[in-house]
């Protein structure tokens, strides 16, 4: 199979490394992970590789039947895999609250949270909570989910003395956002809306969220790391809202883009690899730390986004 050739960084991995390769020899037995957007693409591959390494995987999926199909494929390959499917729509506050309540009621440990689900380049749409869909799904949904699961992760880390890891799948598209970075005053405004900038805004929010949460956890001396990543250009269905581009990616992408096995590599690396123990608040590309543009390291912007997001979820949770 044709594979991208890439220069290997300090980690020893490159753009051509696969998720299986970066986790080779790692035993994840006894760990529990939640993966959002787990029914297709790099989310499904992430679940498969984590299960292969012995991790108990909770698949958060919008479509239960699609999730069940992925689970069946994993079980067929890995008969002793521990995989569960739970319904989770990241664009819906009520769905997120239900998911977190159901998970927390099971009294399971939670070592790894992988915020992977996302949409891209959708026409202007408001979520059921009245929030622009990219921001609602890619950032705010994961912000709320992380908030609702964080105490359980802290408890797991303290009781097991095993480092918890939160991984947020962002994108290099954070570089292409609105001129103010985050349109706080016009987050739900159709005027001036551009799907590519709305997507970039949500991906910038992912990086800022990771940095601010990491900063707070370090201050609390909590044994949980938080990192964001760019998976690379992947042949998936994320372009489904752009018919022509989706067709072009499906036809030509296999020649110039990563496959899902390569696309899931950095996520799985951050979830399991001992090389990143204690590393937090960073942005990774091809399993290596990469510097980000200045607007993605703006601490004031990150804190403003945190307060803004907390305000939104409190409004929604009390409405």
């Amino acid at each position: 199979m044709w594979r991208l050739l890439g220069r290997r960084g300090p980690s020893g991995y490159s753009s051509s490394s696969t998720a299986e390769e970066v986790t080779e020899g790692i035993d994840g037995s006894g760990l529990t992970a939640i993966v959002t957007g787990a029914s297709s693409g790099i989310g499904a591959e992430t679940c498969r590789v984590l299960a292969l390494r012995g991790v108990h995987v909770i698949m958060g999926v919008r479509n239960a039947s699609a999730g069940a199909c992925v689970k069946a494929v994993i079980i067929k390959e890995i008969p002793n895999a521990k995989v569960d499917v739970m319904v989770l729509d990241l664009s819906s506050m009520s769905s997120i609250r239900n998911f977190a309540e159901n998970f927390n009621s099971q009294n399971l440990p939670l070592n790894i949270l992988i915020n992977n689900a996302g949409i891209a380049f959708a026409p202007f749409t408001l979520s059921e909570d009245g929030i622009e869909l990219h921001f609602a799904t890619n950032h705010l949904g994961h912000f709320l989910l992380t908030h609702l699961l964080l105490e359980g992760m802290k408890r797991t880390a303290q009781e097991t003395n095993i480092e918890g890891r939160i991984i947020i799948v962002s994108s290099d598209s954070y570089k292409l956002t609105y001129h103010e970075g985050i349109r706080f005053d016009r987050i739900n405004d159709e005027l001036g809306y551009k799907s590519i900038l709305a997507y970039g805004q949500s991906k910038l929010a992912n990086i800022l969220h990771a940095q601010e949460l990491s900063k707070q956890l370090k201050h609390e001396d909590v044994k949980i790391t938080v990192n964001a990543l760019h998976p690379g250009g992947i042949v998936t269905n994320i372009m489904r809202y752009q018919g022509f581009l989706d067709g072009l990616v499906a036809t030509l992408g296999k020649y110039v883009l990563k496959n899902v096995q390569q696309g899931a590599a950095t996520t799985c690396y951050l979830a399991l690899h001992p090389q990143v123990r204690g590393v937090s608040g960073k942005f990774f590309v091809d399993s290596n730390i990469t510097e980000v543009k200045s607007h993605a390291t703006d601490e004031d912007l990150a804190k403003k986004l945190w307060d803004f997001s907390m305000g939104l979820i409190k409004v929604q949770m009390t409405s």
Side-chain angles (χ1 to χ4, degrees):
M1 181 180 293
W2 187 91
R3 285 168 40 171
L4 287 170
L5 297 178
R7 179 179 298 172
R8 294 185 181 275
S11 70
Y13 302 111
S14 71
S15 59
S16 63
S17 300
T18 67
E20 282 197 35
E21 289 170 348
V22 303
T23 59
E24 186 176 1
I26 297 175
D27 182 6
S29 300
L31 301 179
T32 301
I34 290 175
V35 182
T36 72
S39 62
S40 64
I42 62 176
E45 175 65 3
T46 297
C47 291
R48 185 188 72 82
V49 172
L50 292 185
L52 184 67
R53 302 306 177 214
V55 178
H56 178 191
V57 179
I58 312 296
M59 300 174 57
V61 299
R62 285 187 304 164
N63 186 313
S65 60
C69 290
V70 173
K71 175 182 175 178
V73 171
I74 293 173
I75 297 297
K76 184 176 181 180
E77 177 188 348
I78 314 160
N80 62 344
K82 295 180 66 177
V83 182
D84 294 307
V85 177
M86 294 178 61
V87 172
L88 174 62
D89 181 351
L90 268 300
S91 71
S92 165
M93 296 283 186
S94 62
S95 176
I96 296 163
R97 291 196 293 270
N98 288 337
F99 175 92
E101 183 178 348
N102 291 340
F103 177 80
N104 289 333
S105 69
Q106 297 177 49
N107 294 314
L108 290 170
L110 181 56
N111 307 94
I112 303 164
L113 173 60
I114 299 177
N115 291 327
N116 166 79
I119 63 164
F121 316 125
F124 180 81
T125 310
L126 295 179
S127 71
E128 66 179 45
D129 302 293
I131 299 168
E132 190 278 314
L133 197 59
H134 290 93
F135 194 81
T137 305
N138 298 351
H139 166 64
L140 196 65
H142 284 126
F143 183 91
L144 174 59
L145 179 67
T146 303
H147 177 73
L148 296 175
L149 297 175
L150 192 56
E151 287 306 312
M153 288 197 74
K154 289 179 180 179
R155 186 167 56 252
T156 298
Q158 183 177 30
E159 292 176 352
T160 64
N161 200 33
I162 297 173
E163 177 182 270
R165 296 186 179 184
I166 298 172
I167 297 104
I168 304 176
V169 179
S170 181
S171 169
D172 201 42
S173 293
Y174 82 87
K175 297 173 182 176
L176 189 60
T177 183
Y178 298 104
H179 70 86
E180 59 267 67
I182 308 289
R183 300 203 309 174
F184 294 106
D185 297 331
R186 295 187 293 154
I187 204 73
N188 303 322
D189 192 348
E190 188 172 4
L191 183 65
Y193 174 84
K194 294 185 183 300
S195 61
I196 191 169
L197 299 182
Y199 177 69
Q201 173 181 246
S202 70
K203 296 289 101 178
L204 171 61
N206 288 155
I207 299 173
L208 294 172
H209 177 206
Q211 292 182 353
E212 178 62 22
L213 180 55
S214 173
K215 179 181 175 181
Q216 293 186 18
L217 293 173
K218 286 178 182 177
H219 181 72
E220 296 174 25
D221 198 25
V222 174
K223 198 175 181 179
I224 298 175
T225 62
V226 192
N227 290 292
L229 68 101
H230 169 52
I234 319 291
V235 182
T236 70
N237 66 349
I238 197 168
M239 303 288 289
R240 60 188 177 275
Y241 289 103
Q242 300 291 329
F244 172 74
L245 289 177
D246 187 41
L248 194 64
V249 167
T251 304
L252 301 178
K254 61 185 177 181
Y255 300 110
V256 295
L257 301 176
K258 292 182 179 182
N259 57 39
V260 292
Q261 292 80 17
Q262 295 163 336
T266 304
T267 300
C268 292
Y269 173 78
L270 289 173
L272 294 178
H273 208 289
Q275 283 183 346
V276 288
R277 186 177 292 121
V279 177
S280 191
K282 303 299 183 182
F283 184 68
F284 284 76
V285 179
D286 297 330
S287 303
N288 290 281
I289 295 175
T290 300
E291 295 299 318
V292 294
K293 299 294 185 181
S294 59
H295 67 294
T297 60
D298 186 328
E299 292 187 5
D300 291 336
L301 183 61
K303 184 61 168 63
K304 186 175 181 180
L305 174 66
W306 181 277
D307 293 340
F308 180 71
S309 302
M310 285 297 294
L312 285 176
I313 66 172
K314 286 180 180 177
V315 167
Q316 297 299 332
M317 291 173 72
T318 57
S319 61

